Amino acid sequence: MNAARARNVALEKLTELRSIILEHIIKASALSDHQAVSHWQKEIHSYQTRLHRYHKGKGVKPNYTKDLLWEYLWEDQVDELPLGFIEEYGLKDLKLDVEDIKAKLKTFIDGVMKSSGK
């Protein structure tokens, strides 16, 4: 697969997963005492691993940058945070710790960007 096609595929995967990634990070932050936190953290790690595979192709330059991931995962979605889970969990007056969410998202991005096997 040529570099341009590989990058397009990587961006398509990022676009496909970005809402569910942010939703899981928000859940892990907002509902840190919930019994499903462990499950959400495993899912977050799974998405991180999946995007990492698309980040580093064989012999091609990386497909993502930290700025690009931040733009797709936070900036493009911040006005429309995926908060549908609020009703699902019967929550009212949920106060989000935006700084905690951002910190978790930055940790996620760092994991995507990590070097394979190093």
Side-chain angles (χ1 to χ4, degrees), residues 54-92:
Y54 285 96
H55 170 57
K56 293 272 189 180
K58 294 181 180 177
V60 297
K61 74 179 200 174
N63 289 311
Y64 303 130
T65 65
K66 285 185 178 186
D67 289 340
L68 178 108
L69 290 171
W70 183 256
E71 179 182 332
Y72 270 71
L73 295 170
W74 181 254
E75 290 177 5
D76 287 354
Q77 299 188 95
V78 73
D79 291 335
E80 300 175 8
L81 291 175
L83 300 176
F85 69 89
I86 291 174
E87 288 181 11
E88 181 181 333
Y89 290 95
L91 302 172
K92 294 183 181 182

Side-chain angles (χ1 to χ4, degrees), residues 3 11 13 17 19 22 24 28 40 45 56 76 98-99 109:
L11 292 175
K13 185 53 67 176
L17 294 175
S19 291
L22 186 56
H24 277 67
W40 297 329
H45 181 71
K56 293 272 189 180
D76 287 354
V98 175
E99 293 308 313
I109 289 170

